mmCIF file of all heavy atoms in Angstrom:
data_model
loop_
_atom_site.group_PDB
_atom_site.id
_atom_site.type_symbol
_atom_site.label_atom_id
_atom_site.label_comp_id
_atom_site.label_asym_id
_atom_site.label_seq_id
_atom_site.Cartn_x
_atom_site.Cartn_y
_atom_site.Cartn_z
ATOM 1 N N LEU A 136 151.146 -35.774 30.409
ATOM 2 C CA LEU A 136 151.282 -36.563 31.535
ATOM 3 C C LEU A 136 150.090 -37.545 31.663
ATOM 4 O O LEU A 136 148.985 -37.050 31.651
ATOM 5 C CB LEU A 136 151.453 -35.838 32.848
ATOM 6 C CG LEU A 136 151.599 -36.642 34.037
ATOM 7 C CD1 LEU A 136 152.789 -37.559 34.091
ATOM 8 C CD2 LEU A 136 151.662 -35.698 35.299
ATOM 9 N N ILE A 137 150.358 -38.819 31.617
ATOM 10 C CA ILE A 137 149.282 -39.888 31.674
ATOM 11 C C ILE A 137 149.356 -40.663 32.866
ATOM 12 O O ILE A 137 150.440 -41.233 33.182
ATOM 13 C CB ILE A 137 149.409 -40.734 30.418
ATOM 14 C CG1 ILE A 137 149.632 -39.975 29.085
ATOM 15 C CG2 ILE A 137 148.262 -41.750 30.319
ATOM 16 C CD1 ILE A 137 148.501 -39.068 28.660
ATOM 17 N N PHE A 138 148.310 -40.814 33.646
ATOM 18 C CA PHE A 138 148.216 -41.763 34.783
ATOM 19 C C PHE A 138 147.457 -42.910 34.254
ATOM 20 O O PHE A 138 146.423 -42.803 33.586
ATOM 21 C CB PHE A 138 147.493 -41.118 35.937
ATOM 22 C CG PHE A 138 148.234 -40.118 36.680
ATOM 23 C CD1 PHE A 138 147.747 -39.427 37.609
ATOM 24 C CD2 PHE A 138 149.656 -39.795 36.375
ATOM 25 C CE1 PHE A 138 148.334 -38.372 38.398
ATOM 26 C CE2 PHE A 138 150.363 -38.829 37.090
ATOM 27 C CZ PHE A 138 149.693 -38.076 38.115
ATOM 28 N N GLY A 139 147.720 -44.112 34.762
ATOM 29 C CA GLY A 139 146.930 -45.275 34.481
ATOM 30 C C GLY A 139 145.802 -45.378 35.474
ATOM 31 O O GLY A 139 145.444 -44.335 36.133
ATOM 32 N N GLU A 140 145.229 -46.551 35.665
ATOM 33 C CA GLU A 140 144.152 -46.649 36.624
ATOM 34 C C GLU A 140 144.591 -46.836 38.079
ATOM 35 O O GLU A 140 143.763 -46.860 38.904
ATOM 36 C CB GLU A 140 143.279 -47.835 36.157
ATOM 37 C CG GLU A 140 144.020 -49.187 36.097
ATOM 38 C CD GLU A 140 143.104 -50.274 35.414
ATOM 39 O OE1 GLU A 140 142.335 -49.974 34.532
ATOM 40 O OE2 GLU A 140 143.286 -51.427 35.847
ATOM 41 N N SER A 141 145.868 -46.883 38.237
ATOM 42 C CA SER A 141 146.472 -46.914 39.597
ATOM 43 C C SER A 141 147.840 -46.293 39.593
ATOM 44 O O SER A 141 148.341 -46.027 38.435
ATOM 45 C CB SER A 141 146.618 -48.428 40.079
ATOM 46 O OG SER A 141 147.625 -49.089 39.345
ATOM 47 N N THR A 142 148.483 -46.209 40.674
ATOM 48 C CA THR A 142 149.840 -45.678 40.661
ATOM 49 C C THR A 142 150.889 -46.624 40.186
ATOM 50 O O THR A 142 152.041 -46.417 40.387
ATOM 51 C CB THR A 142 150.216 -45.188 42.034
ATOM 52 O OG1 THR A 142 150.002 -46.309 42.988
ATOM 53 C CG2 THR A 142 149.301 -43.963 42.511
ATOM 54 N N GLU A 143 150.479 -47.665 39.546
ATOM 55 C CA GLU A 143 151.405 -48.653 38.862
ATOM 56 C C GLU A 143 151.804 -48.234 37.469
ATOM 57 O O GLU A 143 152.694 -48.885 36.850
ATOM 58 C CB GLU A 143 150.806 -50.029 38.921
ATOM 59 C CG GLU A 143 150.648 -50.629 40.315
ATOM 60 C CD GLU A 143 152.019 -50.763 41.056
ATOM 61 O OE1 GLU A 143 152.936 -51.348 40.465
ATOM 62 O OE2 GLU A 143 152.104 -50.275 42.178
ATOM 63 N N TYR A 144 151.013 -47.274 36.915
ATOM 64 C CA TYR A 144 151.118 -46.963 35.470
ATOM 65 C C TYR A 144 151.240 -45.442 35.258
ATOM 66 O O TYR A 144 150.416 -44.715 35.749
ATOM 67 C CB TYR A 144 150.017 -47.548 34.602
ATOM 68 C CG TYR A 144 149.883 -49.071 34.812
ATOM 69 C CD1 TYR A 144 148.955 -49.502 35.706
ATOM 70 C CD2 TYR A 144 150.706 -49.880 33.959
ATOM 71 C CE1 TYR A 144 148.896 -50.855 35.698
ATOM 72 C CE2 TYR A 144 150.637 -51.238 34.178
ATOM 73 C CZ TYR A 144 149.641 -51.740 35.037
ATOM 74 O OH TYR A 144 149.572 -53.134 35.147
ATOM 75 N N ILE A 145 152.277 -44.960 34.625
ATOM 76 C CA ILE A 145 152.479 -43.525 34.390
ATOM 77 C C ILE A 145 153.338 -43.444 33.140
ATOM 78 O O ILE A 145 154.220 -44.226 32.829
ATOM 79 C CB ILE A 145 153.121 -42.882 35.494
ATOM 80 C CG1 ILE A 145 153.165 -41.314 35.374
ATOM 81 C CG2 ILE A 145 154.587 -43.420 35.841
ATOM 82 C CD1 ILE A 145 153.669 -40.628 36.682
ATOM 83 N N TRP A 146 153.059 -42.347 32.324
ATOM 84 C CA TRP A 146 153.834 -42.024 31.136
ATOM 85 C C TRP A 146 154.047 -40.493 31.003
ATOM 86 O O TRP A 146 153.119 -39.798 31.222
ATOM 87 C CB TRP A 146 153.210 -42.552 29.861
ATOM 88 C CG TRP A 146 153.054 -44.083 29.852
ATOM 89 C CD1 TRP A 146 153.943 -44.933 29.284
ATOM 90 C CD2 TRP A 146 152.010 -44.841 30.339
ATOM 91 N NE1 TRP A 146 153.463 -46.142 29.417
ATOM 92 C CE2 TRP A 146 152.288 -46.208 30.071
ATOM 93 C CE3 TRP A 146 150.815 -44.522 30.907
ATOM 94 C CZ2 TRP A 146 151.450 -47.214 30.369
ATOM 95 C CZ3 TRP A 146 149.939 -45.606 31.305
ATOM 96 C CH2 TRP A 146 150.305 -46.915 31.034
ATOM 97 N N PHE A 147 155.213 -40.114 30.627
ATOM 98 C CA PHE A 147 155.479 -38.774 30.296
ATOM 99 C C PHE A 147 155.777 -38.815 28.750
ATOM 100 O O PHE A 147 156.542 -39.603 28.196
ATOM 101 C CB PHE A 147 156.854 -38.256 30.814
ATOM 102 C CG PHE A 147 156.915 -38.059 32.294
ATOM 103 C CD1 PHE A 147 155.905 -38.659 33.166
ATOM 104 C CD2 PHE A 147 157.905 -37.326 32.834
ATOM 105 C CE1 PHE A 147 156.068 -38.422 34.537
ATOM 106 C CE2 PHE A 147 158.001 -37.171 34.264
ATOM 107 C CZ PHE A 147 157.077 -37.718 35.062
ATOM 108 N N LEU A 148 154.873 -37.994 28.053
ATOM 109 C CA LEU A 148 154.950 -38.050 26.491
ATOM 110 C C LEU A 148 155.260 -36.683 26.009
ATOM 111 O O LEU A 148 154.858 -35.698 26.609
ATOM 112 C CB LEU A 148 153.573 -38.466 25.993
ATOM 113 C CG LEU A 148 153.044 -39.817 26.398
ATOM 114 C CD1 LEU A 148 151.694 -40.094 25.821
ATOM 115 C CD2 LEU A 148 153.949 -40.963 26.101
ATOM 116 N N SER A 149 155.870 -36.679 24.826
ATOM 117 C CA SER A 149 156.260 -35.423 24.185
ATOM 118 C C SER A 149 156.185 -35.569 22.635
ATOM 119 O O SER A 149 156.477 -36.683 22.157
ATOM 120 C CB SER A 149 157.637 -34.950 24.584
ATOM 121 O OG SER A 149 157.969 -33.795 23.903
ATOM 122 N N ARG A 150 155.902 -34.525 21.937
ATOM 123 C CA ARG A 150 155.921 -34.656 20.444
ATOM 124 C C ARG A 150 157.455 -34.586 19.981
ATOM 125 O O ARG A 150 157.706 -34.893 18.861
ATOM 126 C CB ARG A 150 155.281 -33.439 19.911
ATOM 127 C CG ARG A 150 153.796 -33.319 20.245
ATOM 128 C CD ARG A 150 152.945 -34.344 19.519
ATOM 129 N NE ARG A 150 151.546 -34.075 19.689
ATOM 130 C CZ ARG A 150 150.620 -34.774 19.063
ATOM 131 N NH1 ARG A 150 150.833 -35.803 18.332
ATOM 132 N NH2 ARG A 150 149.395 -34.393 19.390
ATOM 133 N N GLU A 151 158.371 -34.222 20.851
ATOM 134 C CA GLU A 151 159.759 -34.255 20.562
ATOM 135 C C GLU A 151 160.422 -35.404 21.392
ATOM 136 O O GLU A 151 159.797 -35.896 22.258
ATOM 137 C CB GLU A 151 160.402 -32.902 20.997
ATOM 138 C CG GLU A 151 159.705 -31.676 20.385
ATOM 139 C CD GLU A 151 160.153 -31.449 18.950
ATOM 140 O OE1 GLU A 151 161.259 -31.710 18.605
ATOM 141 O OE2 GLU A 151 159.345 -30.842 18.196
ATOM 142 N N LYS A 152 161.639 -35.654 21.008
ATOM 143 C CA LYS A 152 162.291 -36.789 21.748
ATOM 144 C C LYS A 152 162.923 -36.314 23.130
ATOM 145 O O LYS A 152 163.470 -37.093 23.824
ATOM 146 C CB LYS A 152 163.465 -37.213 20.918
ATOM 147 C CG LYS A 152 163.042 -37.937 19.663
ATOM 148 C CD LYS A 152 164.264 -38.466 18.831
ATOM 149 C CE LYS A 152 163.781 -39.247 17.599
ATOM 150 N NZ LYS A 152 164.885 -39.877 16.934
ATOM 151 N N THR A 153 162.648 -35.047 23.491
ATOM 152 C CA THR A 153 162.979 -34.507 24.820
ATOM 153 C C THR A 153 161.836 -33.788 25.448
ATOM 154 O O THR A 153 160.912 -33.613 24.786
ATOM 155 C CB THR A 153 164.216 -33.532 24.677
ATOM 156 O OG1 THR A 153 163.784 -32.477 23.858
ATOM 157 C CG2 THR A 153 165.388 -34.274 24.098
ATOM 158 N N LEU A 154 162.044 -33.484 26.668
ATOM 159 C CA LEU A 154 160.954 -32.762 27.474
ATOM 160 C C LEU A 154 161.707 -31.537 28.050
ATOM 161 O O LEU A 154 162.676 -31.762 28.799
ATOM 162 C CB LEU A 154 160.329 -33.753 28.565
ATOM 163 C CG LEU A 154 159.151 -33.323 29.225
ATOM 164 C CD1 LEU A 154 158.001 -33.237 28.251
ATOM 165 C CD2 LEU A 154 158.838 -34.273 30.307
ATOM 166 N N PRO A 155 161.157 -30.328 27.927
ATOM 167 C CA PRO A 155 161.689 -29.266 28.567
ATOM 168 C C PRO A 155 161.869 -29.433 30.097
ATOM 169 O O PRO A 155 160.915 -29.985 30.743
ATOM 170 C CB PRO A 155 160.743 -28.092 28.279
ATOM 171 C CG PRO A 155 159.998 -28.532 27.041
ATOM 172 C CD PRO A 155 159.934 -30.021 27.166
ATOM 173 N N ASP A 156 162.899 -28.884 30.699
ATOM 174 C CA ASP A 156 163.106 -29.096 32.102
ATOM 175 C C ASP A 156 161.885 -28.597 32.963
ATOM 176 O O ASP A 156 161.599 -29.241 33.959
ATOM 177 C CB ASP A 156 164.387 -28.430 32.575
ATOM 178 C CG ASP A 156 165.673 -29.164 32.114
ATOM 179 O OD1 ASP A 156 165.536 -30.410 31.779
ATOM 180 O OD2 ASP A 156 166.687 -28.532 32.058
ATOM 181 N N GLN A 157 161.363 -27.491 32.582
ATOM 182 C CA GLN A 157 160.243 -26.920 33.372
ATOM 183 C C GLN A 157 159.063 -27.858 33.379
ATOM 184 O O GLN A 157 158.368 -28.136 34.374
ATOM 185 C CB GLN A 157 159.914 -25.547 32.936
ATOM 186 C CG GLN A 157 158.791 -24.889 33.595
ATOM 187 C CD GLN A 157 158.442 -23.533 33.153
ATOM 188 O OE1 GLN A 157 159.048 -22.980 32.097
ATOM 189 N NE2 GLN A 157 157.496 -22.857 33.746
#
Side-chain angles (χ1 to χ4, degrees):
L136 174 61
I137 311 301
F138 288 173
E140 61 192 29
S141 72
T142 56
E143 294 298 310
Y144 303 97
I145 187 171
W146 295 269
F147 292 16
L148 303 178
S149 177
R150 298 288 189 175
E151 306 279 331
K152 292 182 178 183
T153 60
L154 192 64
D156 288 339
Q157 182 178 3

